[in-house]
Amino acid sequence: KTMLLIILHCLVMLVLRQSSSALAFSRGFMYHQRRRLMLHHVQSHSSHQRHLLVGGGSVAEDTIVRSRYDERTHHHHRRLSSISSSASELNAETTINSQSQTEAGSTSTPTQPSSSIHIRPYFQIRYNDVYEVNMPPGHRFPMEKYREVRLAVQEKIGGFTEVDCDFRESPLATVEQLETTHDANYIHRYLTGQMTDAENRNIGFPWNLQHVNRTLSSVGGTVAAACAAWEEYERRLEYQSTTTQQQHDNMHLCWSAHVAGGTHHAFSDYGEGFCIFSDIAVAANVLLQKYSHRTQQHHMQKRSGIRRILIIDLDVHQGNGNAKLFDGNSDVWTFSMHCQGNYFSKKETSDLDIELPIGCGDETYISTLSHWLRRIEQHPFDEEEGSEDDTKVKKPFDLIFYQAGVDIHEDDRLGRLSITSEGISRRNSLVYDFADRMRAPLVITMGGGYPKKDWTPIIEAHAGVYWQAHQYLSQRASS
């Protein structure tokens, strides 16, 4: 009898222990499943539901869950800096922010939309090195530099979060986009391989399908970057009446870049100097076609579409193609500062041409550029708009292109100036300060840069253009 009681007791304890383990496992499984759902579907839960999901754990556990929730919410809503595209989205973001504050134990009242928006600077970077071209042996064009520069920039930017920055592959330009700038017959002959040998020699590249794709991506990337910067700027302008002064001060920091392009020697119906189509000219014309104040009605405060675009060309060679393409066009203003002894074809007339002597060094270069940027800033352009007090204020430019050639470097194989790496860095800073003062979106492209035996100085100079832009925006975000 005693043995039977002992056996019965053991069986009861075994059943209870298994039930307890199953229940604990079930509870633990359900807890972790709920916590995972909470992290992935924050928006679908109310504040009360989130409280239930994180309840039941220890205090330390709850703290970890809340921290992860806050981190995921911040990542999921990082485009708050870009401003939501509708008022309903903006209100939704505000609700989530206030709920997050409540969970964290905040006793402050919910914030208004204007104070809940953190407008981070915007910087989209396009690249086209995925379109590889097999160059003839010994060809002097450094095709490999594009990938090296892009990788260097990505490595430098790394995990910085002060700027809303991402890298995107460049799309191919369309024929319609090219025809905003170039002759239709020239476009057709190039795309179908009907260029003469003399024309291809003048350009500097042999024709092949690989190069067609690369050429189209060189233009398409700059067009995409320019449209992204302007469209982001327009989205922000829709909410400028609800932003704080500090947020308003950062609204125009919508920059973009292309780790390619800057093909400023292309003309309407022919190319030269490694340039087939002008990416900057096509991008400017596409912007004017889509967003010009003459062709589109914009109902936003203080702005009504693009009125004037500025091209700052600081390659060692004159931007002769762009000068010719926009000759007599008051919507696009061209400024080229280049070496006076480095023309390889007919000199054209930009709106402003500044020639520098052969062998020019840092101090002359920087003082000259600083002077003329100030002059441009003070120029009495005819476009005016009303300010808040109904007085007239000059508004020179709505968007700026920066052709950031580094063939001014002292180690460049084809340049004839003597600018150091530090000098190029100072040059970039002057342009970024200027664009900031103009309160205009900035689009950065590559330009010339022809290494000697050691590619390092040219690759670093190119990468520095983009890295400096990112750092400039990071500093503005924290100021």
Side-chain angles (χ1 to χ4, degrees):
K1 183 177 179 180
T2 302
M3 288 297 296
L4 287 174
L5 289 173
I6 292 172
I7 292 171
L8 180 62
H9 176 74
C10 291
L11 288 172
V12 170
M13 292 299 295
L14 180 62
V15 169
L16 289 175
R17 181 175 299 175
Q18 289 177 339
S19 299
S20 176
S21 298
L23 181 61
F25 173 80
S26 177
R27 285 177 176 172
F29 177 78
M30 291 302 294
Y31 172 79
H32 288 292
Q33 283 294 96
R34 287 175 179 173
R35 186 171 70 175
R36 189 166 73 82
L37 287 172
M38 184 263 306
L39 291 172
H40 284 286
H41 304 287
V42 168
Q43 278 189 294
S44 64
H45 298 288
S46 66
S47 178
H48 175 65
Q49 287 173 317
R50 285 199 298 273
H51 176 71
L52 291 177
L53 288 172
V54 298
S58 65
V59 174
E61 236 177 358
D62 280 353
T63 303
I64 292 171
V65 171
R66 291 168 200 253
S67 174
R68 288 175 180 170
Y69 160 73
D70 291 340
E71 179 181 341
R72 184 66 60 90
T73 303
H74 172 74
H75 174 73
H76 186 73
H77 299 294
R78 60 192 176 89
R79 289 305 300 275
L80 273 174
S81 61
S82 303
I83 309 302
S84 301
S85 60
S86 67
S88 61
E89 290 176 356
L90 182 63
N91 291 334
E93 305 289 6
T94 306
T95 301
I96 289 173
N97 283 344
S98 63
Q99 289 171 345
S100 178
Q101 290 175 356
T102 302
E103 276 196 55
S106 172
T107 58
S108 61
T109 58
T111 56
Q112 297 299 315
S114 62
S115 58
S116 66
I117 303 168
H118 175 55
I119 303 177
R120 289 186 297 165
Y122 176 87
F123 192 38
Q124 183 184 112
I125 302 176
R126 293 278 179 170
Y127 62 93
N128 77 335
D129 56 77
V130 294
Y131 295 99
E132 297 181 347
V133 179
N134 299 320
M135 301 295 289
H139 196 283
R140 63 177 181 170
F141 189 82
M143 190 67 72
E144 297 85 356
K145 76 174 182 179
Y146 294 92
R147 176 165 296 176
E148 291 192 31
V149 171
R150 190 255 301 175
L151 292 174
V153 175
Q154 285 181 313
E155 183 179 2
K156 284 176 176 290
I157 289 178
F160 282 89
T161 59
E162 295 88 348
V163 177
D164 186 5
C165 177
D166 65 333
F167 288 76
R168 300 188 185 187
E169 184 179 313
S170 301
L172 301 182
T174 66
V175 170
E176 182 182 12
Q177 290 171 341
L178 296 175
E179 287 180 347
T180 64
T181 304
H182 295 282
D183 176 75
N185 184 53
Y186 171 60
I187 296 169
H188 175 74
R189 289 193 306 109
Y190 176 74
L191 296 181
T192 57
Q194 298 180 40
M195 303 281 283
T196 66
D197 290 341
E199 287 176 311
N200 286 325
R201 281 195 301 272
N202 198 49
I203 289 170
F205 293 127
W207 186 92
N208 59 51
L209 290 175
Q210 284 184 324
H211 214 290
V212 169
N213 283 332
R214 182 190 177 275
T215 298
L216 293 177
S217 66
S218 291
V219 178
T222 301
V223 172
C227 288
W230 180 257
E231 288 167 5
E232 177 65 23
Y233 181 51
E234 281 192 324
R235 280 194 290 270
R236 296 183 178 204
L237 286 176
E238 293 177 11
Y239 295 98
Q240 66 175 345
S241 61
T242 64
T243 58
T244 65
Q245 184 60 48
Q246 182 179 8
Q247 292 162 354
H248 183 270
D249 289 344
N250 288 342
M251 260 192 177
H252 64 286
L253 296 176
C254 303
W255 293 7
S256 63
H258 193 194
V259 189
T263 49
H264 58 169
H265 299 310
F267 291 78
S268 174
D269 57 357
Y270 69 95
E272 64 180 31
F274 305 131
C275 302
I276 294 97
F277 304 123
S278 173
D279 62 304
I280 292 177
V282 172
N285 284 323
V286 168
L287 287 173
L288 290 169
Q289 187 180 74
K290 294 178 67 175
Y291 308 110
S292 172
H293 71 291
R294 297 190 185 95
T295 60
Q296 195 172 20
Q297 292 297 319
H298 292 249
H299 302 289
M300 299 181 295
Q301 287 189 352
K302 298 186 180 181
R303 293 267 175 163
S304 56
I306 297 176
R307 294 175 180 270
R308 183 183 283 112
I309 291 171
L310 171 65
I311 299 174
I312 299 175
D313 191 326
L314 300 183
D315 195 271
V316 77
H317 303 101
Q318 185 200 33
N320 56 342
N322 289 336
K324 184 65 174 179
L325 289 169
F326 293 114
D327 184 23
N329 186 339
S330 62
D331 293 336
V332 179
W333 211 81
T334 54
F335 164 41
S336 178
M337 193 170 91
H338 47 269
C339 178
Q340 68 179 3
N342 214 336
Y343 293 95
F344 55 82
S345 64
K346 177 188 174 184
K347 176 183 175 181
E348 302 293 342
T349 303
S350 309
D351 289 294
L352 176 62
D353 283 302
I354 303 300
E355 295 183 325
L356 298 166
I358 295 172
C360 172
D362 288 1
E363 296 309 316
T364 298
Y365 189 96
I366 295 302
S367 61
T368 302
L369 178 60
S370 178
H371 169 81
W372 286 107
L373 288 176
R374 287 289 183 183
R375 289 285 298 273
I376 293 172
E377 189 174 351
Q378 297 163 5
H379 185 76
F381 290 96
D382 54 357
E383 297 286 0
E384 297 179 331
E385 4 173 56
S387 64
E388 292 180 353
D389 60 356
D390 292 329
T391 61
K392 294 293 182 179
V393 293
K394 294 183 179 66
K395 183 189 68 68
F397 308 105
D398 294 292
L399 184 137
I400 300 170
F401 285 96
Y402 173 31
Q403 204 274 20
V406 299
D407 43 7
I408 62 173
H409 197 283
E410 59 187 352
D411 284 332
D412 190 88
R413 180 162 46 89
L414 303 181
R416 303 182 68 183
L417 298 183
S418 300
I419 311 303
T420 66
S421 297
E422 175 61 25
I424 292 177
S425 177
R426 291 167 64 188
R427 175 198 73 170
N428 298 335
S429 295
L430 285 176
V431 175
Y432 301 152
D433 281 331
F434 173 81
D436 194 358
R437 292 196 304 272
M438 292 292 95
R439 298 190 60 80
L442 177 68
V443 183
I444 304 166
T445 73
M446 225 165 178
Y450 305 94
K452 297 178 181 177
K453 290 185 178 180
D454 182 7
W455 284 43
T456 303
I458 299 302
I459 298 299
E460 290 181 348
H462 275 308
V465 169
Y466 305 96
W467 168 240
Q468 269 189 262
H470 185 276
Q471 287 299 96
Y472 186 94
L473 293 174
S474 296
Q475 292 168 6
R476 287 287 278 108
S478 59
S479 62

